[in-house]
Amino acid sequence: MAFFTTSDDRQIYFEDHGTGTPVLCLAGLTRTCKDFSFLAPHLSDMRMIAMDYRGRGRSDRDPDYMNYNIFRESHDALELLDHLGLDRVNVIGTSRGGLIAMALAASHPERLLSVVLNDVGPVLEPAGIAKIMEYVGKPPVSKTYEMAANALQFVMAPQFPDVPLERWQQVAEIQFEKTADGLGLAYDPALRTAILEQAAVGAAPDLWMFFEALRDIPTGVIRGENSDVLGKGTLTEMHNRHPGLLSVEIPGRGHVPFLDEPQALELIRKILVDA
C-alpha cells in the first residue's frame, strides 16, 4: 500500500502501476481507485496512477468535512504528482474526477498532457444530481454483495439494459465495504453534509470557464447514451467551445460508462499523449 502526506497533514492512499505514458485516474464522487478496475487491463502498457480522495477508501477522513470540495481535491492531486515527481500527466476523470480535471486545467494547465471526461461536463443535469443525492451518505440497505448486485441491476436497468448480474456483483464489491453488520460505505458519510452545506452557501462557480481552459489541451468526452448527468445539449455546446474536442456516445450506458466498452477504449487511445 502507498500513501503520501498532504500539505495539511492528511494521509492519502494511491496506486501506481505499470510504466510508460502516465495516466492519472480520478474517480467519481463517492468512489475510489477501484473505479478503474475495468479499464486497467486495457491500459497495461501505460503507467496508471489513481488516488482515493480524502475521506474515501483508505485515505484519511478530514475532521473538517468542508474540505471535501473540488478545489481541495484538485490540490491533493497536484501534491500527488509532486510526490511522484511527475511534471505532466494525462488525466481520465469520471464524473467528480472530470470536474477536478477541469479545475486543474484552469489552475495548472501546464501539468496536463490530455484529458478524458467520463460522462461529465460544465452543466450537471438536475435530475441526475438529484438521483445521486438519493444515496450519497446513506448506508446501503443490502447486507451482502449478492443482494447489492441484484438491487443495482434492478435500479440501473433503465440506463444499463443487458448488463449481466456478474458485472453488478463486481460493481458492488467496488462500491461497498464488507463489515460485521453487512455492507458499509467506503467513504465518510459527512460527504453528504459537505455537499449540502456548500450548495447552501451560494451559487456554484461557472464551470464553463473551467472547461474552456481545456481549449489548448487534447480533450475527449465519453457520454453514456442514457446519461442523466451529461445532457446532449451540453455536449453539443462543449464541441462549439472546444473545436478540437473528440467525443463518443456509449450505447446501453448511463451515468457512468465502465470505460471498458470498445468505443470508450478507442477514444481514450486517441486522446492520450506520450510524455
Side-chain angles (χ1 to χ4, degrees):
M1 295 193 294
F3 294 85
F4 77 98
T5 304
T6 64
S7 54
D8 63 343
D9 206 31
R10 300 277 83 79
Q11 289 284 302
I12 301 296
Y13 175 77
F14 70 95
E15 296 184 354
D16 184 0
H17 300 295
T19 59
T21 300
V23 183
L24 175 63
C25 299
L26 299 173
L29 174 66
T30 63
R31 309 297 275 274
T32 68
C33 295
K34 297 178 183 178
D35 232 15
F36 298 92
S37 298
F38 306 123
L39 172 63
H42 302 277
L43 297 185
S44 59
D45 58 327
M46 299 184 180
R47 182 179 178 183
M48 287 190 67
I49 304 156
M51 62 186 290
D52 291 353
Y53 308 134
R54 59 179 62 209
R56 282 77 143 191
R58 297 176 180 176
S59 293
D60 282 350
R61 296 187 177 189
D62 199 311
D64 181 1
Y65 56 75
M66 292 300 277
N67 282 328
Y68 299 146
N69 66 72
I70 289 168
F71 301 107
R72 179 67 248 188
E73 290 158 11
S74 67
H75 192 72
D76 290 345
L78 287 171
E79 291 190 348
L80 171 59
L81 298 185
D82 291 342
H83 173 76
L84 296 174
L86 292 170
D87 292 329
R88 304 181 74 199
V89 294
N90 298 275
V91 174
I92 300 176
T94 290
S95 195
R96 172 80 154 211
L99 301 181
I100 294 171
M102 288 190 279
L104 289 171
S107 64
H108 291 81
E110 74 282 356
R111 305 298 295 268
L112 304 180
L113 291 166
S114 72
V115 170
V116 175
L117 304 174
N118 183 19
D119 209 63
V120 69
V123 176
L124 307 177
E125 296 297 323
I129 298 306
K131 183 177 178 181
I132 290 170
M133 291 307 295
E134 287 178 3
Y135 68 80
V136 171
K138 299 179 180 179
V141 175
S142 301
K143 297 299 182 184
T144 67
Y145 286 131
E146 292 76 14
M147 292 173 63
N150 279 285
L152 283 168
Q153 186 177 52
F154 177 78
V155 171
M156 303 300 286
Q159 287 189 319
F160 292 81
D162 303 323
V163 173
L165 184 62
E166 179 184 5
R167 172 53 61 95
W168 292 120
Q169 173 87 18
Q170 294 169 319
V171 171
E173 292 174 4
I174 289 171
Q175 194 167 340
F176 304 117
E177 291 182 344
K178 183 177 285 189
T179 73
D181 300 320
L183 299 183
L185 299 176
Y187 60 92
D188 186 350
L191 179 61
R192 178 182 182 85
T193 307
I195 295 170
L196 293 174
E197 291 190 10
Q198 289 162 17
V201 168
D206 180 8
L207 295 179
W208 282 113
M209 177 181 68
F210 293 169
F211 173 75
E212 288 172 359
L214 292 167
R215 275 185 71 93
D216 297 325
I217 298 171
T219 304
V221 179
I222 297 166
R223 179 181 184 271
E225 174 188 33
N226 304 318
S227 177
D228 55 6
V229 171
L230 176 57
K232 289 187 175 183
T234 298
L235 182 55
T236 297
E237 184 61 18
M238 291 167 76
H239 276 282
N240 292 338
R241 299 196 190 200
H242 190 316
L245 184 73
L246 298 180
S247 69
V248 65
E249 190 169 81
I250 311 298
R253 296 290 184 266
H255 186 77
V256 289
F258 300 117
L259 295 181
D260 62 349
E261 301 88 356
Q263 304 93 329
L265 293 171
E266 182 179 0
L267 181 132
I268 289 169
R269 287 286 184 178
K270 286 179 179 178
I271 294 297
L272 298 188
V273 175
D274 288 335

